[in-house]
Amino acid sequence: MSQKITAAITAVGGYVPEDRLTNFDLEKMVDTNDEWIRSRTGISERRILKGDGLATSDMVVPAVRQLCEKRGIDPSEIDAMIVGTVTPDMMFPSTANLACHKLGATNAWGFDLLAACSGFLYSLTTGAALIESGRYKKVVVVGADKMSSIINYNDRATCIIFGDGAGAVLLEPSTDGNGIQDSILRSDGSGGNYLNMKAGGSLKPASYETVAANEHYAYQEGQTVFKFAVKGMADVSAELLDRNQLTGADIAWLVPHQANKRIIDATADRMGLSHDKVMLNIQRYGNTTAATIPLCLWDYEKDMKKGDNIVLAAFGGGFTWGATLVKWAY
Ligand code: UT7
């Protein structure tokens, strides 16, 4: 009888730009203050990708290159790449295609996956299925966003939240039981009114009018999204534990999407997890949309141990949300 193949995470890479945008910088740009931002969101600063001609793929490339170096493989060994993003370099070709070209990942096929802040979890579940099928041996899953390209820096409701970054994991087949164990993913398009970017798609192609109306920027009705996020992320995480007969005591780490520290705390409380088991870097990077979860794994890589039960959880635009259970493989 053949052994069950699971998709193990065998390396992590990350990239954040050098330039920092602090709360004090934002105080000079909009009517806000450091105290409000820190107490309402947990954020102190974000990274911003500056420079002409630089796009999301330029953050994907160093993150994936680092992952290849850590694992000792050449990019040409990658079979497939999935990039979760809402800020692709262009509408098409895909950022995955462009990044593979820049990396020399000449044997990979790939695509972008759009699920906003849940983009990494959706991509991870999809990438794991490619490995579990037995057809692919090295699948790279990326979460990357240059949020500064769609943020209105005159809108204090959004500009204090978002930052730029990219994180990536390598998935490889494993037969020792470690890797992606289970995932619950959800979506509800009726949430589209509360978190969106209205123009630039087929509904409202970019025009002078859409630009004048600021419809090429991210729009968020914060309070509404907040309420759905607290419930969605906590419910699905609790359901994932139940379904796998686990309690908070069995979980080594919660890796939550970094949208708001108050949402993260509520999710941890609902799972019965002490806060020292929760990965947190929102204070340094803000909300990097699809990149938050892999950037947490990148920052905390040395703190995880083989066999650790880790829950990844996200909520975001769509609405999309979900939770994934991973047994750490190294
Ligand atoms: O990643 C995708 C999913 N996104 C999320 O999960 C984000 C969910 N939402 C949030 O994190 C929060 O709703 C925000 C951080 C966006 C806003 O926090 P809030 O506690 O919901 O604030 P609020 O919109 O209820 O505003 C509270 C007060 C208002 O003043 P009044 O009416 O009480 O006088 C706002 O006008 O704070 C004011 N305010 C601000 N003050 C200083 C709103 N934005 C700011 C600001 N600086 N940037």
Side-chain angles (χ1 to χ4, degrees):
M1 212 177 79
S2 65
Q3 277 176 299
K4 187 175 178 237
I5 298 172
T6 53
I9 295 175
T10 56
V12 181
Y15 176 82
V16 288
E18 292 281 302
D19 273 295
R20 288 158 206 260
L21 179 66
T22 67
N23 292 351
F24 299 103
D25 296 329
L26 285 162
E27 282 182 359
K28 296 178 201 130
M29 296 159 69
V30 289
D31 179 16
T32 192
N33 59 79
D34 174 58
E35 212 297 303
W36 191 95
I37 300 173
R38 274 191 296 107
S39 62
R40 292 289 182 146
T41 70
I43 303 169
S44 294
E45 60 180 40
R46 319 113 193 95
R47 301 299 185 92
I48 305 293
L49 183 66
K50 288 192 177 157
D52 285 343
L54 293 180
T56 296
S57 69
D58 297 297
M59 300 189 290
V60 174
V61 167
V64 176
R65 197 168 277 143
Q66 183 185 66
L67 166 160
C68 289
E69 278 162 15
K70 279 187 183 172
R71 187 67 181 141
I73 63 166
D74 188 83
S76 63
E77 293 175 56
I78 298 169
D79 297 316
M81 184 188 294
I82 307 174
V83 179
T85 187
V86 289
T87 51
D89 293 24
M90 294 182 254
M91 288 292 282
F92 71 91
S94 78
T95 305
N97 299 160
L98 297 169
C100 283
H101 170 65
K102 291 181 187 181
L103 279 160
T106 46
N107 295 305
W109 63 283
F111 57 93
D112 293 356
L113 189 154
L114 197 159
C117 300
S118 307
F120 183 75
L121 287 195
Y122 274 45
S123 300
L124 187 65
T125 305
T126 307
L130 297 182
I131 295 283
E132 289 157 7
S133 76
R135 285 186 64 174
Y136 301 99
K137 305 287 180 228
K138 288 186 172 52
V139 176
V140 170
V141 175
V142 186
D145 272 299
K146 184 187 170 186
M147 291 306 291
S148 62
S149 68
I150 58 166
I151 292 300
N152 178 356
Y153 285 95
N154 294 316
D155 174 15
R156 71 174 184 176
T158 50
C159 74
I160 57 133
I161 299 170
F162 293 99
D164 302 340
V169 300
L170 178 64
L171 295 178
E172 294 184 83
S174 164
T175 50
D176 69 2
N178 289 317
I180 315 304
Q181 306 291 307
D182 194 14
S183 239
I184 301 176
L185 300 177
R186 296 265 151 78
S187 81
D188 177 0
S190 69
N193 294 334
Y194 309 111
L195 181 48
N196 57 44
M197 187 175 108
K198 293 181 182 63
S202 57
L203 178 64
K204 284 194 179 186
S207 67
Y208 290 115
E209 288 74 24
T210 62
V211 171
N214 287 329
E215 289 174 337
H216 57 303
Y217 290 130
Y219 165 83
Q220 174 168 252
E221 206 174 293
Q223 265 190 19
T224 308
V225 178
F226 186 92
K227 284 181 202 140
F228 278 99
V230 167
K231 183 163 170 18
M233 218 157 102
D235 279 357
V236 84
S237 302
E239 188 183 338
L240 185 74
L241 289 190
D242 275 358
R243 181 155 114 172
N244 288 276
Q245 281 118 40
L246 299 170
T247 68
D250 302 308
I251 303 304
W253 291 102
L254 170 66
V255 192
H257 170 52
Q258 311 278 305
N260 188 311
K261 186 166 182 304
R262 290 182 290 145
I263 300 173
I264 294 172
D265 290 345
T267 305
D269 291 344
R270 177 74 184 284
M271 292 171 73
L273 274 187
S274 62
H275 290 199
D276 60 343
K277 289 180 164 186
V278 179
M279 294 191 190
L280 196 75
N281 58 18
I282 191 172
Q283 65 281 9
R284 288 185 288 133
Y285 305 146
N287 180 348
T288 55
T289 303
T292 61
I293 290 175
L295 282 175
C296 278
L297 296 175
W298 183 56
D299 274 345
Y300 283 79
E301 188 182 14
K302 64 174 185 338
D303 298 305
M304 293 181 284
K305 294 193 298 292
K306 188 171 181 169
D308 274 355
N309 285 318
I310 296 171
V311 172
L312 320 179
F315 187 95
F319 295 137
T320 57
W321 68 106
T324 297
L325 177 66
V326 178
K327 258 192 198 301
W328 199 246
Y330 64 96

